[in-house]
Amino acid sequence: MAISKLLFSYMHLVLLFVVVSARHQPSVTGHEAKAQQQADRIGRLPGQPAVSFKQYSGYVTVNESHGRALFYWFFEATESPENKPLLLWLNGGPGCSSIGYGEAEELGPFLTQKGQPELRFNNHSWNKAANLLFLESPIGVGFSYSNTSSDLNDLGDTITAKDSYIFLVNWFKRFPQFKSHEFYIAGESYAGHYVPQLSEVIFDENKHVSKEEYINFKGFMIGNALMDDETDQKGMIDYAWDHAVISDHLFDELQLECNFSERNLTDACNTALQKYYEVYNIIDMYSLYAPSCYKNSTGSTRQFRMIHGIAPHLFSKHEGWHKKPAGYDPCLSGYTETYLNRADVQKSLHANVTKIPYPWTHCSDSISFWNDAPASVLPVIRKLVNGGLRVWVFSGDTDGRIPVTATRLTLKKLGLKTVKDWTPWYSSQQVGGWTIEYEGLMFVTVRGAGHQVPTFKPKEGLQLVRHFLANKELPITPF
């Protein structure tokens, strides 16, 4: 425990040093900012439907000496962008693309599809509620890169938060017209680490920076989020048994042989987990009742490289954990990868400018080791709740990967006082899910949604983010 605390303190000092260094980069004049914005402005993507709002994409450097740059895609709100908040969306993995999943398959304005045209407008895009920013982070993910190949060996939660903060500092220099807007962060899955950790950096830095460098940060929202190893892992097993995915015998074996608070697998636990993961070779772990894709147009498998050192520390050592999520169309990811690897699309996006020597993929094949990942982010969440930030946690209730069972166990562990217990909320005439209002935190379930809530329940997803941004309770009666 003492060594762990010393390591955390050391990483915090390193983070503080690099963040302070980033703040002392040369300022950008108004003329330079406009020129940079214009260079990043997207005219029209191949196969894109016509829209009236502006969109931008390109690179923001986060480390000059290493040549480290993160790729972003930004959409102004569909109406009155000057009056709307700014929302940053992050996908997890770690190592998965916020553009491939978040923008192209979940909540962005343009969703990929099979055939012609390649893109369709998302009628439930979250840029109807906010100015919407997607970031591929860390380097090695999607189009984000470093000219220093050894940077890939230094990745982990700490440097991801650090680089994402530096990205924001420099992005606001490029887009100063959004600097005063209310700023929020949202994400899913391993972004249960990314979002609170980045939020903490912003929260801490805002106490020291000048008025010009202050980020008007108001809160964050995380969905089907990895937050605590013990409860996330226990919740997976409990959910699988409760949803008739595994037998009583296997459930009892897992309970007996696996200690979910440990980081190491015993042989007996490993054997039991192999049996557990076998079922997810025939059904989709991320959405129990969705079909599986057996003919992916890219020919890719549904597995990505094991990354050693990530959370949860017990389950992530098992190959069965490392599966890629699918969408409601189980072959959708194949269409996205085909589209984003086209030279004309990359040119329109101002992407791949350094001729990255590998194809764009949803989840990075370049990342194989993760240096630091706390077993729990609950101390960070508790700190930010106590600091007055708005915090919402949502959960699609058909997800077997980070199920609602796990999230409920995790939030109970957080120990917040319940203000308003289990209450249904409505989307039109139908129950959209349930809420629990804790002191300083709102928990929302989304009925019938898998791991990627906006993919499976787009209408309810947009309703959710609108109420989060407005800080309003979801409707408790039909309308």
Side-chain angles (χ1 to χ4, degrees):
M1 179 63 72
I3 294 174
S4 177
K5 287 183 177 178
L6 284 172
L7 178 60
F8 179 81
S9 298
Y10 171 74
M11 297 303 291
H12 187 76
L13 285 172
V14 171
L15 176 59
L16 180 62
F17 172 77
V18 293
V19 165
V20 170
S21 299
R23 292 210 310 266
H24 286 86
Q25 290 187 1
S27 60
V28 177
T29 66
H31 177 74
E32 289 172 331
K34 287 182 180 179
Q36 290 174 341
Q37 281 187 42
Q38 189 57 37
D40 286 358
R41 178 81 183 270
I42 297 173
R44 190 167 179 175
L45 294 166
Q48 176 204 304
V51 293
S52 59
F53 55 84
K54 296 177 182 177
Q55 57 174 323
Y56 304 82
S57 63
Y59 288 93
V60 172
T61 299
V62 296
N63 187 300
E64 292 279 358
S65 62
H66 284 222
R68 202 155 69 228
L70 299 182
F71 184 80
Y72 80 91
W73 194 352
F74 171 59
F75 302 89
E76 290 190 356
T78 55
E79 296 180 359
S80 304
E82 67 280 1
N83 298 322
K84 294 282 187 11
L86 173 65
L87 178 68
L88 170 67
W89 174 267
L90 298 173
N91 279 88
C96 294
S97 168
S98 304
I99 286 168
Y101 287 117
E103 195 294 313
E105 298 176 17
E106 296 188 65
L107 57 111
F110 305 127
L111 303 180
T112 53
Q113 61 181 359
K114 185 178 182 179
Q116 300 287 337
E118 299 89 344
L119 299 177
R120 63 181 175 87
F121 182 70
N122 178 9
N123 289 319
H124 298 100
S125 172
W126 285 16
N127 77 324
K128 291 189 172 185
N131 297 288
L132 190 55
L133 177 61
F134 297 92
L135 175 65
E136 292 195 304
S137 176
I139 54 101
V141 174
F143 295 123
S144 294
Y145 68 89
S146 176
N147 291 330
T148 306
S149 58
S150 61
D151 281 350
L152 288 171
N153 300 322
D154 297 327
L155 295 179
D157 282 16
T158 301
I159 197 169
T160 300
K162 176 208 75 172
D163 278 0
S164 296
Y165 177 75
I166 296 172
F167 165 85
L168 287 172
V169 169
N170 293 334
W171 188 89
F172 278 118
K173 292 177 182 177
R174 190 173 301 182
F175 291 87
Q177 69 268 37
F178 293 101
K179 191 72 170 60
S180 62
H181 289 223
E182 289 190 349
F183 176 65
Y184 299 88
I185 311 175
E188 70 190 11
S189 197
Y190 201 84
H193 279 225
Y194 288 167
V195 172
Q197 290 165 339
L198 174 57
S199 298
E200 183 182 30
V201 177
I202 298 170
F203 180 78
D204 289 344
E205 289 302 308
N206 271 351
K207 297 174 183 177
H208 310 293
V209 297
S210 65
K211 181 179 179 181
E212 289 72 24
E213 296 170 334
Y214 185 87
I215 295 175
N216 190 19
F217 183 46
K218 297 299 183 182
F220 65 89
M221 180 171 68
I222 45 178
N224 292 86
L226 192 75
M227 294 181 280
D228 184 86
D229 279 12
E230 181 181 16
T231 47
D232 286 335
Q233 292 170 150
K234 183 181 187 306
M236 280 186 72
I237 302 303
D238 290 355
Y239 184 88
W241 176 81
D242 189 58
H243 284 72
V245 170
I246 59 174
S247 68
D248 292 359
H249 176 75
L250 179 54
F251 177 72
D252 292 340
E253 186 179 349
L254 286 160
Q255 296 288 91
L256 176 66
E257 303 295 350
C258 296
N259 184 339
F260 299 114
S261 62
E262 293 292 328
R263 290 194 174 202
N264 295 315
L265 284 167
T266 64
D267 289 342
C269 176
N270 186 59
T271 299
L273 283 175
Q274 285 177 343
K275 298 175 187 175
Y276 162 73
Y277 281 114
E278 281 176 4
V279 73
Y280 291 122
N281 291 326
I282 56 175
I283 63 173
D284 189 350
M285 174 190 289
Y286 292 88
S287 182
L288 292 191
Y289 310 114
S292 298
C293 181
Y294 291 101
K295 189 177 181 181
N296 192 310
S297 60
T298 64
S300 63
T301 64
R302 298 288 301 141
Q303 201 85 359
F304 58 81
R305 178 183 292 192
M306 290 181 66
I307 302 175
H308 300 280
I310 63 170
H313 295 283
L314 178 64
F315 279 20
S316 65
K317 293 178 182 179
H318 203 279
E319 186 176 339
W321 172 263
H322 299 269
K323 295 179 185 291
K324 293 182 181 180
Y328 192 73
D329 175 347
C331 301
L332 180 59
S333 292
Y335 315 147
T336 303
E337 292 196 9
T338 297
Y339 185 78
L340 289 177
N341 276 297
R342 284 172 44 178
D344 58 341
V345 172
Q346 293 181 1
K347 182 178 180 180
S348 297
L349 285 171
H350 319 119
N352 200 11
V353 294
T354 62
K355 304 303 178 187
I356 298 169
Y358 46 80
W360 184 96
T361 59
H362 280 79
C363 299
S364 176
D365 293 324
S366 304
I367 301 171
S368 59
F369 183 77
W370 203 251
N371 281 284
D372 63 294
S376 179
V377 295
L378 293 185
V380 176
I381 293 174
R382 188 177 292 110
K383 169 185 173 180
L384 298 175
V385 167
N386 292 338
L389 290 177
R390 186 181 313 158
V391 180
W392 283 32
V393 176
F394 64 95
S395 182
D397 65 10
T398 68
D399 176 26
R401 174 60 172 244
I402 307 175
V404 65
T405 309
T407 302
R408 293 173 75 178
L409 290 171
T410 299
L411 293 179
K412 184 178 291 187
K413 194 173 183 179
L414 195 55
L416 299 174
K417 179 182 177 182
T418 300
V419 176
K420 189 175 183 180
D421 210 348
W422 201 247
T423 305
W425 65 273
Y426 285 83
S427 179
S428 299
Q429 297 293 313
Q430 301 296 322
V431 174
W434 279 264
T435 64
I436 301 178
E437 182 182 353
Y438 295 100
E439 196 166 61
L441 184 148
M442 180 69 77
F443 173 55
V444 182
T445 75
V446 184
R447 192 165 68 99
H451 190 68
Q452 302 138 284
V453 166
T455 299
F456 293 94
K457 292 290 182 176
K459 177 184 174 184
E460 290 82 353
L462 179 57
Q463 183 179 354
L464 174 69
V465 73
R466 279 179 164 154
H467 282 74
F468 164 70
L469 294 172
N471 199 23
K472 292 183 178 179
E473 288 186 3
L474 288 154
I476 60 173
T477 56
F479 57 93

